[in-house]
Amino acid sequence: MKLLIPGPVTTRPEVRAAMAQDLAPWDNDFRPMYASVRERVRAHAGGAADSHVCLVLQGCGHFATEAAVRTFIPAGGRILIPMLGAYADRMARLAREAGRVVVELPVNQLVPLDPALVAAALAADPTLSHVGVVYSETGSGVIHDAAAIGAVVHAAGRRMILDAVSAFGALPFDVSARPELDALVFTSNKCFEGMPGLGFAVGRIDRLLECQGNAGSWSFDFADVYAQTARSGPGSFRFTPPAQVLAAFEVALDIYDAEGGQPARLARYMANRNALYDGVVALSLQPCLARAVQGPIVMNVHAPDDPAWNLQAFVDALKARGYLISNFYNTPQPSFRVGLIGAITPDDMRGFVAAIDQVLPEIGVRHRGPARQAA
Ligand SMILES: *Cc1c(COP(=O)(O)O)cnc(C)c1O
């Protein structure tokens, strides 16, 4: 089965096989493995050992985003969140429920965010200490220019938290070039193509030291994760980790490096994007985004305007052919969503397009155009 969803993604057999062992996380064989994974991830993010650190939290991306918000913004502190889509909404909810004040910046979700809007919002409200940005908005499929937005945050003397969960590993990001960045947040199971279960942040050591005691939560505190590193070494976890997921992640990193790292991964995902975009257009289906703004992570395609259209029937028929896509709507108008990431290739995309062509008549869909034109 190919998982064509934006996480957890299709993985390679070698990655899954690394899970098939018993591991003791406090054992002296495991600790150096964990420490080396952290160093490798920090290096991929462009961080130097004396300024930056890779911190790992058990669990999903939401946990890591919540921990970043709690750690770097004091209780009652104020964060500007450009409302880019579903994941910006989620960051806002995590921050609010953690007792931070969210100021929402409404934006056009179908195009990359204009950094000038962020600059203006920050200039208008000096009480905002942070900006929370989603690099690749999984709701829309649009990629936002994290470095350019960071530059205006830096110019305004504020700080940034970047949800790069569906971006990092494929889209470039260099933490050393972005002094305003408090946390680059991502997980094991998206563009690094590992198993789900680990949340990561790469952040600055000086900021982690300044932010001890902010979190108001022992579990969701990256400053405490850092304190543990300082106390007990970089191979130690505070609480029981998903040790097998970490072993699988190490193999996934080896594959990532062997493939050619970030540029190679981005090139493969772009090729997946192009194969799918061309393929669905050739079938008379219409992607929700214009080609120029369609990112290489996830693509929404307008549902055909035919009374026979039924998303679950479509998903089930595709699944019978070996392709699994999301079975819920992610856009205001009906669409189906396809992940472009994971251990999949343009040939997989072409096979998937051929399967769509067979499945639509099978479920009785004759008219393939969208109900309404995209904005
Ligand atoms: C997947 C994703 C997350 C985290 O999702 P979890 O289910 O908590 O792992 C966060 N942000 C974005 C943009 C994502 O795509």
Side-chain angles (χ1 to χ4, degrees):
M1 185 68 65
K2 301 282 180 187
L3 296 183
L4 301 186
I5 54 177
V9 300
T10 303
T11 53
R12 297 254 294 241
E14 308 93 295
V15 172
R16 297 193 296 274
M19 301 266 295
Q21 56 181 322
D22 291 315
L23 291 166
W26 288 279
D27 183 67
N28 283 341
D29 288 333
F30 184 85
R31 292 165 65 106
M33 191 261 272
Y34 173 39
S36 101
V37 162
R38 292 178 66 178
E39 279 192 21
R40 290 171 71 183
V41 169
R42 175 183 42 71
H44 279 304
D50 59 351
S51 60
H52 287 84
V53 65
C54 165
L55 302 163
V56 183
L57 205 64
Q58 298 86 340
C60 61
H62 285 79
F63 289 13
T65 301
E66 173 167 350
V69 165
R70 285 181 170 275
T71 302
F72 294 106
I73 307 171
R78 292 164 65 82
I79 178 171
L80 178 75
I81 302 185
M83 302 315 284
L84 303 169
Y87 281 86
D89 292 350
R90 283 156 180 255
M91 190 194 285
R93 176 171 172 180
L94 290 172
R96 255 186 225 111
E97 296 200 9
R100 278 62 178 170
V101 179
V102 173
V103 175
E104 297 189 357
L105 177 63
V107 298
N108 175 357
Q109 301 186 345
L110 297 180
V111 295
L113 175 63
D114 178 357
L117 296 175
V118 175
L122 291 177
D125 186 346
T127 69
L128 291 162
S129 65
H130 280 75
V131 181
V133 175
V134 180
Y135 191 169
S136 162
E137 177 44 84
T138 313
S140 65
V142 175
I143 307 302
H144 299 283
D145 188 342
I149 298 162
V152 304
V153 174
H154 183 57
R158 318 298 169 84
R159 308 213 50 83
M160 184 151 120
I161 290 173
L162 186 61
D163 171 352
V165 176
S166 63
F168 189 62
L171 295 165
F173 198 84
D174 179 0
V175 295
S176 346
R178 300 269 41 103
E180 72 286 347
L181 187 85
D182 272 347
L184 173 74
V185 177
F186 53 97
T187 65
S188 48
N189 71 106
K190 292 201 178 176
C191 300
F192 282 107
E193 301 181 2
M195 308 306 294
L198 293 168
F200 292 86
V202 175
R204 298 176 65 93
I205 294 169
D206 55 3
R207 286 287 296 151
L208 286 157
L209 293 171
E210 275 168 28
C211 291
Q212 300 284 332
N214 273 355
S217 161
W218 186 16
S219 297
F220 296 120
D221 185 358
F222 277 126
D224 193 62
V225 176
Y226 181 67
Q228 167 83 5
T229 293
R231 209 166 35 236
S232 307
S236 73
F237 273 95
R238 300 178 305 161
F239 314 126
T240 303
Q244 288 79 4
V245 171
L246 194 81
F249 190 73
E250 185 183 43
V251 174
L253 273 184
D254 291 343
I255 292 170
Y256 181 79
D257 290 342
E259 185 178 347
Q262 177 267 319
R265 193 133 301 181
L266 179 59
R268 177 158 57 84
Y269 293 171
M270 287 295 274
N272 289 345
R273 177 199 87 140
N274 294 341
L276 184 65
Y277 208 103
D278 293 343
V280 295
V281 168
L283 295 185
S284 306
L285 291 163
Q286 192 188 328
C288 294
L289 291 177
R291 190 185 286 266
V293 295
Q294 172 60 62
I297 307 298
V298 60
M299 190 184 300
N300 294 306
V301 179
H302 285 291
D305 181 25
D306 186 298
W309 169 256
N310 176 307
L311 178 61
Q312 188 65 55
F314 182 62
V315 170
D316 290 344
L318 287 169
K319 187 171 161 187
R321 286 175 165 76
Y323 302 99
L324 194 57
I325 65 166
S326 305
N327 65 348
F328 47 89
Y329 289 122
N330 298 277
T331 51
Q333 298 160 16
S335 66
F336 62 91
R337 169 170 93 161
V338 188
L340 306 168
I341 61 176
I344 50 172
T345 64
D347 277 342
D348 293 319
M349 287 298 162
R350 285 184 278 271
F352 172 66
V353 169
I356 295 176
D357 197 25
Q358 294 168 353
V359 153
L360 287 176
E362 191 177 300
I363 65 169
V365 169
R366 275 189 221 90
H367 179 259
R368 294 178 174 186
R372 274 164 286 176
Q373 293 301 303

